[in-house]
Amino acid sequence: MTQEMMDWDEDLPPAEPEEEYLALVRTLNRTDGFRLLFVECTLAEGERWIARVKRDIRPQKIEVLALDKPVYNFYNLIEEWPERDRINILFVKGLEYSLYEYERDKKASGWESEDIYFYSWRGVPPVLVNLNQQRERFRDNFKICFVFILPKFAVDYLIQRAPDFFDWRSSLFNLSMDGERLEAESIKACSERCNIEDYLSLTPEEQKRELVRIQTLIDEDGQTQEQKAELFYEQALLYHSAEQYAKAIASYDQALEIQPDRHAAWYNRGIALGNIGRLEDAIASYDKALEIKPYDHEAWYNRGILLGNMGRLEEAIISVDLSIQNLQQVINLNPDKYREMAKTDSDFDSIRSHTRFQALIQE
């Protein structure tokens, strides 16, 4: 329930999104001047709720500030806005982009959640320092009701790392998706791109927006474990494409914790581990992939390359030999497709001069 309706009580069931929305509308209609409101929801849902608010509240000057990259001085951003004195309500979207990389970097370097969120100035994202330090100037200089649209992880950040700002005349509203919309949004996020190569064309900022989108869906109340596994795998592909291999491995691990028989996750995890020099772990990951799909010639081949790099030549020869045997079986299934693929695929460059490989592609 929102603070507008009653005191927090963990024994009470959470309010339905429609109840929360009506409470938000009542609050906006009663507010005149400065106030801070926080709405916990996904970006897609936030856009839908904003459009509805514009229809449902009494006439006021409403603006939307859409942040698509990290900001460091939010106060100055508002102070320099030419139209700010005419605004009654300002919806702010995208503040989470200033927080997400901080959280992921700390987790990847071994920080526990309690260390990340513990309230001190050690490594606090700059925007939160700015919000905490400038809170009284927000109140004194801006006659605006700020409505921050944020995913769950960003709300947790504000509660823990910017408590002075968050508690300053604030209320929190939870406008989570219903199950049907959550499933649809999750499927959409996982189906737009299917492999690492699909993400290579994205700019760093586009990658970050996709990562935030996926993390937000993972955190949504009512998310199924099966769909979480899909989202963690998608998250791993994003990090992998950006060559952030440690983060990719962490996300592959989260997907595999839910779906331990996911072949592609073990295989790609092996590639990521090999890229950061963890060769023994990479071989073990390929072994898991091969337990699930014994005839995967690429896994046998990559495994052989790593064994060769480690000086385990006899094992490497056996693994590469199995790769060629399995490639033979694949070519037998579809000669035209896979023989042409083998002729040009760079994965086979190291064995391209092998007589058995040459025989396969010449038949």
Side-chain angles (χ1 to χ4, degrees):
M1 303 292 286
T2 68
Q3 294 175 4
E4 284 295 307
M5 298 172 69
M6 61 181 64
D7 292 333
W8 292 98
D9 189 338
E10 293 181 358
D11 295 329
L12 292 174
E16 292 296 320
E18 184 64 20
E19 297 175 36
E20 294 279 270
Y21 172 75
L22 294 175
L24 172 62
V25 169
R26 289 196 298 270
T27 302
L28 290 172
N29 279 326
R30 289 199 300 262
T31 298
D32 183 17
F34 172 77
R35 188 158 190 178
L36 300 176
L37 304 177
F38 300 89
V39 175
E40 182 181 313
C41 67
T42 67
L43 183 60
E45 284 294 276
E47 292 173 354
R48 190 168 70 90
W49 292 117
I50 290 171
R52 188 174 169 187
V53 164
K54 289 180 177 179
R55 296 193 303 266
D56 290 350
I57 67 170
R58 58 184 171 79
Q60 298 194 57
K61 177 63 173 176
I62 301 174
E63 292 287 348
V64 178
L65 173 59
L67 306 171
D68 60 1
K69 59 184 178 181
V71 297
Y72 302 99
N73 194 320
F74 186 77
Y75 179 87
N76 282 357
L77 188 66
I78 304 302
E79 186 177 44
E80 295 169 3
W81 194 331
E83 299 292 315
R84 67 176 174 81
D85 291 334
R86 298 174 53 196
I87 299 172
N88 302 118
I89 298 171
L90 179 63
F91 285 95
V92 181
K93 304 185 300 180
L95 189 66
E96 61 269 23
Y97 299 131
S98 302
L99 311 176
Y100 184 72
E101 275 305 299
Y102 171 86
E103 179 185 28
R104 293 296 303 187
D105 286 344
K106 294 297 179 287
K107 283 185 176 179
S109 61
W111 288 39
E112 299 293 335
S113 293
E114 54 267 29
D115 296 323
I116 294 172
Y117 294 129
F118 182 73
Y119 182 57
S120 74
W121 295 119
R122 182 168 70 109
V124 175
V127 69
L128 297 192
V129 177
N130 179 249
L131 293 178
N132 273 327
Q133 293 179 343
Q134 303 294 335
R135 63 189 184 279
E136 293 185 0
R137 294 181 71 195
F138 274 93
R139 176 201 62 192
D140 296 340
N141 297 338
F142 304 141
K143 307 307 179 185
I144 299 171
C145 178
F146 293 89
V147 185
F148 291 89
I149 306 293
L150 296 164
K152 183 179 186 302
F153 83 85
V155 171
D156 290 342
Y157 247 104
L158 284 166
I159 292 172
Q160 300 295 331
R161 305 306 302 271
D164 296 335
F165 183 79
F166 184 83
D167 289 339
W168 194 272
R169 303 186 68 185
S170 66
S171 294
L172 173 63
F173 304 85
N174 189 331
L175 300 180
S176 58
M177 292 187 191
D178 60 42
E180 185 175 340
R181 290 180 62 83
L182 178 57
E183 181 182 14
E185 286 294 323
S186 299
I187 292 173
K188 181 181 178 183
C190 294
S191 62
E192 290 176 349
R193 299 174 181 86
C194 301
N195 52 54
I196 294 169
E197 288 72 23
D198 290 338
Y199 286 108
L200 292 176
S201 62
L202 299 183
T203 67
E205 288 304 323
E206 288 171 335
Q207 289 176 343
K208 183 176 290 187
R209 286 195 288 274
E210 281 298 299
L211 286 166
V212 169
R213 174 192 182 192
I214 289 170
Q215 187 63 54
T216 299
L217 290 167
I218 290 171
D219 291 339
E220 270 288 286
D221 293 337
Q223 187 61 271
T224 66
Q225 288 296 100
E226 180 180 357
Q227 198 61 61
K228 275 187 179 181
E230 296 291 334
L231 290 162
F232 279 129
Y233 180 69
E234 205 71 21
Q235 186 181 67
L237 294 181
L238 258 167
Y239 280 126
H240 200 141
S241 70
E243 300 184 0
Q244 298 184 52
Y245 298 120
K247 294 178 182 180
I249 293 163
S251 295
Y252 286 132
D253 287 345
Q254 288 176 299
L256 288 165
E257 186 175 341
I258 300 170
Q259 292 181 340
D261 60 348
R262 189 170 191 139
H263 167 269
W266 285 114
Y267 175 79
N268 286 325
R269 181 177 182 270
I271 295 174
L273 286 162
N275 284 334
I276 59 173
R278 292 171 55 184
L279 303 189
E280 288 284 3
D281 291 335
I283 291 169
S285 199
Y286 286 130
D287 286 343
K288 293 292 292 185
L290 288 163
E291 285 178 18
I292 300 164
K293 191 177 176 181
Y295 298 109
D296 181 357
H297 65 278
E298 291 179 336
W300 281 115
Y301 171 74
N302 289 351
R303 182 179 182 274
I305 295 299
L306 293 182
L307 287 166
N309 291 341
M310 296 170 66
R312 293 159 60 178
L313 300 182
E314 186 174 340
E315 295 174 78
I317 291 169
I318 293 171
S319 192
V320 173
D321 187 58
L322 286 168
S323 171
I324 293 175
Q325 289 180 32
N326 288 308
L327 178 59
Q328 172 72 78
Q329 294 186 31
V330 171
I331 289 175
N332 289 341
L333 292 174
N334 192 330
D336 293 336
K337 175 180 177 181
Y338 290 107
R339 183 171 286 123
E340 289 305 311
M341 178 274 291
K343 288 179 181 178
T344 58
D345 193 329
S346 61
D347 283 344
F348 296 103
D349 286 350
S350 296
I351 59 169
R352 197 162 298 283
S353 60
H354 195 289
T355 55
R356 289 185 60 196
F357 180 85
Q358 285 295 318
L360 278 178
I361 63 175
Q362 297 301 327
E363 289 179 3

